[in-house]
Amino acid sequence: MDDAPGALPAASLLQLIWLASPALPVGGFSYSEGLEAAIEWAGITTEQAAADWLADQLHLSLARSDLAIVGQAIPAWRSGDLDRIRTLNDWVFQTRESAEFLLQTEQMGRSFVEWLKLRHTDAAAVFDTLPASYPVAFAFAASRTEAPARDACLAFAFGWAENMAAAAVKAMPLGQSAGQRILGRLAAEIPPAVDRALALADDERQAFSPMLAVLSARHETQYSRLFRS
């Protein structure tokens, strides 16, 4: 059956689903992005508290930084504007607020590039002198589809939400039904978060989440932990 008029081509839709999948071998499942420390020290002890925490993280952190970077990097990749890509990539590295957050975007970006080399013949040359952050590497993959930047950002955010809901289930612990309710809450809040991210200008992006940064730093020496952040 042909794609409906105006619909995203099936191949591009499937690529976005693939990019958002926790099965993508980039290691996202191994990070809690400060949630594990929040459970230990910030009173995140219930399903409701975890859902509220992650929703705040979506709007206050992800939407104002990495989501905005993905939205801006996709057209830059498509136009071949490598100076713009380097500027965006440098901003990601320079604004990580803890050693763990920096290591996360470095490791996930590096792993993503290795996967990209299996999919795109020019990826090795493109990234030879560009140690890509995770959002910039994701944007490269998304730029090779016909998906609008908004759809790609929705996929990026949902992939993040799946990993974070799974982290909550493992670390608290919660049951699978609770995890699905948390994911449902995040899914409902992703579209407005993406719209806000896409509307940000360069001087409106920010990565300033002091409590999250402190918790991430404390996590580095947390006595018992499941996750790398």
Side-chain angles (χ1 to χ4, degrees):
M1 181 180 294
D2 293 335
D3 295 317
L8 185 63
S12 292
L13 176 59
L14 289 170
Q15 282 293 311
L16 291 188
I17 293 172
W18 194 352
L19 294 177
S21 171
L24 201 70
V26 297
F29 65 89
S30 62
Y31 299 96
S32 79
E33 300 191 16
L35 178 62
E36 188 172 30
I39 292 167
E40 180 75 16
W41 290 299
I44 308 303
T45 58
T46 66
E47 174 189 335
Q48 184 64 50
D52 290 344
W53 177 275
L54 293 175
D56 285 346
Q57 189 168 343
L58 168 66
H59 293 291
L60 299 175
S61 180
L62 192 74
R64 297 193 294 184
S65 57
D66 287 8
L67 266 179
I69 289 291
V70 171
Q72 294 172 350
I74 288 172
W77 278 122
R78 287 174 172 164
S79 66
D81 189 349
L82 293 183
D83 287 340
R84 173 68 167 161
I85 290 296
R86 290 186 182 279
T87 298
L88 295 172
N89 194 58
D90 289 345
W91 186 90
V92 174
F93 287 132
Q94 292 162 2
T95 57
R96 301 299 89 165
E97 291 188 285
S98 73
E100 286 191 343
F101 287 156
L102 177 60
L103 289 172
Q104 177 181 348
T105 201
E106 287 176 338
Q107 180 272 302
M108 291 181 66
R110 185 168 58 250
S111 296
F112 208 118
V113 168
E114 291 306 308
W115 180 80
L116 287 170
K117 291 176 182 177
L118 303 176
R119 301 282 304 159
H120 302 284
T121 57
D122 62 334
V126 168
F127 291 102
D128 182 51
T129 59
L130 179 70
S133 63
Y134 174 58
V136 167
F138 182 98
F140 174 90
S143 74
R144 297 304 178 90
T145 73
E146 297 181 44
R150 184 176 189 272
D151 288 351
C153 287
L154 290 171
F156 181 89
F158 189 78
W160 169 86
E162 276 202 291
N163 281 325
M164 297 307 294
V169 168
K170 295 173 185 175
M172 292 190 65
L174 296 171
Q176 293 296 324
S177 294
Q180 287 299 298
R181 287 191 292 269
I182 292 173
L183 185 58
R185 161 85 179 274
L186 295 174
E189 300 204 27
I190 282 173
V194 166
D195 290 338
R196 182 183 180 193
L198 291 173
L200 294 177
D202 280 5
D203 60 358
E204 295 175 313
R205 288 194 315 268
Q206 63 169 292
F208 182 66
S209 304
M211 184 176 181
L212 187 61
V214 169
L215 287 169
S216 176
R218 293 189 71 180
H219 184 267
E220 295 171 13
T221 57
Q222 189 167 337
Y223 173 70
S224 178
R225 59 185 190 174
L226 298 173
F227 298 96
R228 298 176 67 180
S229 76

